Amino acid sequence: MNLAHGSYFLLGGYVGLTTAARTKSFALALLSGSLAVALIGLGMERFFLRRLTRQSLPQVLLTMGFALVFQDLALLVWGGDPYNIAVPAFLAQSVQAGPVFVNFYRLFIIGVAFAVGVVLWLFLERTRAGASIRATVDDAEMAQGVGINVPLLSAGVFALGAFLAALGGVVGAGFIGVYPGLDFEVLPYAFVVVIIGGLGSFHGVVVGSLVVGLLDNFGKALFPELSYFTLFAPMALILALKPTGLFGKR
Amino acid sequence: MSAALVVAGVSRSFGGLTAVHAVDLSLEPGERHAIIGPNGAGKTTLFNLIAGELAPSAGRIVVFGQDVTRLPPERRAALGLARTFQINTLFPNLTATENVLLAVQGTTPTKLRLHRPIESYRHLYERAAHLLDSVGLAGKGSEMVRTLSHGEQRQLEIALAIGGTPRILLLDEPTAGLSPSESQRLVRLLKRLETSLTLLVIEHDMDVVFEIAERITVLHDGKVIADGDRDQVKASPLVAEIYFGSD
Amino acid sequence: MTARRAIPFSACAALLLAVPPFLPPYPLTLLTQILIFAIFAMSLDLLLGYTGLASLGHAAYFGIAAYAVAILATRSQASFWVCLLAAVFAATAVAAVFGFVAIRAVGVYFLMITLALGMVVWGLAFRWVSVTMGDNGISGIARPTLFGVSLASPLPFHYLSLAVFFVAFALLWLVVRSPFGLSLQGIRETERRMRALGYDVWLHKYLAFVLAGGFAGLAGALWAYYDGFVSPVEVHLVTSVETLLMVALGGPGTLFGPILGAAVIVLFKNLLSIYTKRWLLILGLVYIGVIVLTPKGILGALRGARR
């Protein structure tokens, strides 16, 4: 349970922003933002969260503390104005295809999401490390018993999570921008995706994000005043019927 | 008169493994019955099925003529079914008295009262004190349960199980981890229980089994392989081979 | 209550009654704020400390009540009692609906569901502009006149808050000491055993959840009158977690712990924001420090030191 996960998204966006401004390279922005935040995540796991395994309340409070610290530091460093990352010229253009305008950057985002999804799936399902992760999620003690280095693995997974959140932040910074408060704005989306899909289920996350994306967009278009309600209420309904989410185990 | 507890053709499998296989049991009211069998024979699984923590894959469970197969544990408890746990399952950060109070009020409507302090329910306290006394924990009432010794916690397990005035009591290895003298005291306590109480006990210590139980069921690989009084069970060659053979 | 505890208890109550007239306005308003958040924190402790349920969306009930007061008082000029009753009722009713969804979940799922349900309420406060005024919030909530006394100035309003606080404390004290209260502690300790003893664990948790929502609503209604202004901040996740911090800091599973925790956090936030712009950073460090240094809260640490 990490309430600072939205902060990773925010920090990724900001670090990417600075890198892009200094180097004029979007690719470097993607890389630096994700790697810097992965290191932050690694440090949090190693020095703080590791001793709080299975204690969800201390985890909540600790990560909220980090979220506040990150929020204030970001405000101190980057100020309160919203920024957009300058995206490469070839991604900034749009073409008209029949009646619709197709924005290249949107296609790029879809491409990145798809690529990350495929790589992650291959990693989890087809590699030894992925198998170890799944084993550890099922039964950490047993995994330790068969020689899996559980502390190393959790650190790695945590850093990977931070890396991906930050990657999302940099990509998102070219589209929705980065601004104070973004951290707590994206956090519930991430939670809802996981809740709808079910913890520990890869299919769940894919289906969950599709559901959330559709609900959010149609909600905003059809009932602008109730848009969050149209996002969260169906989630509550799903949970009422299936408390562990659509694809959750147990 | 109808049987106190009937287990009819009850099976339970986990994945491909059948832990309990078509077990039949019938206990008359007031009967003292023991289940024995080697580790992994499915004894505790059978208890969890009877108590309602697990749902059977097949078969029926009937308590005093009422089919309880689909009822959750708390509803079975309300019908007079109580149990102890093999590993102490107490309330470690509450006092011994509070532990027993929870058991005493568990089968009464008092448990939902929230407009009066619990101290004002004198009869609950009297019964709790009486129960602590009867399991040999008089004077320990105000101690936090986590500070009690293992033996004392086993005694408290019994007090919790009989606190709700059950009609059927399931005891899961009541003497596990007790010294011989503690064990003897527990046996004396069990023999003093009201004669109308139906007792089903899982136990490894054969001396304890022969002292408490009139009838014995032998479970092996999830199946009943012998059932009868102590002499019949002792005489069964199958039992001797599987169970006593290792001694 | 035993005589040993009655003496310090009455001393505290007498102090709370006697001191306010001698306080300058600013400390007095801080004390009022502490009382309101103490009610809020105690209500959460009924879940967290007694039942063992860590809710991440408790600000929802506080906020719903605050909004109910704000809307009724500014649009319909409803009287204090109508507003108060409607606010507590609204908070209780929403808790009754949310509890239905949330209580089935256990562990991390409970955390996530309460978080998401809290976000439902936040989303409505933020986006349902025609009713809630969105991000601008609702201002101009006038304090009422009760029994011929205007509560507009700090002192009479403080005494109103104190009266509500005493009532809430007495009621919660009764609940946690009742047979039902003991059953909640049993559930916190060992749910499985409680089932075996004949308790419908779902029902007990649900009732605790609804009760806690109602008391949070009481605090929220007071807050609307205290601040005269209600905004989505009141229902935000940050507020929910801050209340968890109050309880964790003071010591869960007691009624005095949350009061102490509320006092520390309210004073800390207010005083810190006078001296530094970086109070959020320092508050974040406090969260981290609390977890790293005092896992059992202030009361726990004191108790540990005495042994």
Side-chain angles (χ1 to χ4, degrees), chain A residues 1 3 48 51-52 56-58 60-62 64-66 68-69 71-73 75-76 184 187-188 191 195 199 220 224-229 232 235-236 239-241 243-244, chain C residues 48 54 56 101 104 108-109 111-113 115-117 119-120 122-124 126-130 236-238 241 244-245 248 277-281 283-285 287-288 291-292:
Chain A
M1 195 74 192
L3 295 184
F48 293 95
R51 51 179 139 175
L52 299 178
S56 42
L57 180 67
V60 163
L61 293 175
L62 184 83
M64 176 54 96
F66 275 105
L68 295 179
V69 168
Q71 191 179 49
D72 211 37
L73 284 179
L75 193 66
L76 189 67
F184 282 109
L187 183 67
F191 275 114
I195 294 174
L199 274 180
K220 274 181 182 148
E225 289 214 313
L226 300 178
S227 57
Y228 278 101
F229 189 73
F232 291 114
M235 175 210 71
L239 289 175
L241 300 172
T244 50
Chain C
L48 179 67
L56 271 184
V101 178
R104 278 180 60 180
V108 187
Y109 280 98
L111 283 172
M112 293 203 298
I113 289 168
L115 178 142
L117 289 170
M119 294 311 289
V120 173
W122 175 81
L124 285 178
F126 190 61
R127 284 276 166 80
W128 200 5
V129 180
S130 54
H236 198 271
L237 172 66
V238 174
V241 180
L244 279 175
L245 177 69
K277 274 174 128 177
R278 298 267 79 83
W279 64 273
L280 204 57
L281 182 90
L283 186 64
L285 294 175
Y287 273 93
I288 299 168
I291 295 309
V292 174

Side-chain angles (χ1 to χ4, degrees), chain C residues 132-159:
Chain C
T132 63
M133 314 284 280
D135 214 13
N136 294 326
I138 301 176
S139 55
I141 306 158
R143 288 192 191 163
T145 298
L146 281 186
F147 310 115
V149 182
S150 163
L151 302 180
S153 60
L155 191 63
F157 189 78
H158 179 79
Y159 276 109

Side-chain angles (χ1 to χ4, degrees), chain C residues 29 43 72 88 96 119 149 172 199 217 247-248 254 262 277:
Chain C
T29 55
S43 76
L72 287 172
V88 173
M119 294 311 289
V149 182
L172 281 169
Y199 290 85
V247 179
T254 61
K277 274 174 128 177

Side-chain angles (χ1 to χ4, degrees), chain A residues 152-229:
Chain A
L152 183 72
L153 196 76
S154 359
V157 169
F158 200 86
L160 180 64
F163 178 91
L164 291 175
L167 186 69
V170 185
V171 173
F175 186 55
I176 53 172
V178 261
Y179 48 88
L182 179 67
D183 42 0
F184 282 109
E185 214 169 291
V186 294
L187 183 67
Y189 283 90
F191 275 114
V192 172
V193 166
V194 176
I195 294 174
I196 289 182
L199 274 180
S201 161
F202 188 81
H203 309 286
V205 169
V206 174
V207 174
S209 10
L210 285 175
V211 170
V212 166
L214 291 173
L215 281 176
D216 195 38
N217 278 293
F218 279 104
K220 274 181 182 148
L222 298 172
F223 315 99
E225 289 214 313
L226 300 178
S227 57
Y228 278 101
F229 189 73

Side-chain angles (χ1 to χ4, degrees), chain C residues 173-193:
Chain C
W173 184 83
L174 212 52
V175 169
V176 299
R177 301 292 293 254
S178 69
F180 175 72
L182 184 62
S183 79
L184 297 183
Q185 296 176 59
I187 290 168
R188 175 194 71 201
E189 297 281 305
T190 314
E191 220 178 289
R192 185 178 177 205
R193 182 50 171 249

Side-chain angles (χ1 to χ4, degrees), chain C residues 26-27 55 168 201 212 221 226 231 251:
Chain C
Y26 184 62
S55 168
V201 169
Y226 166 83
S231 77

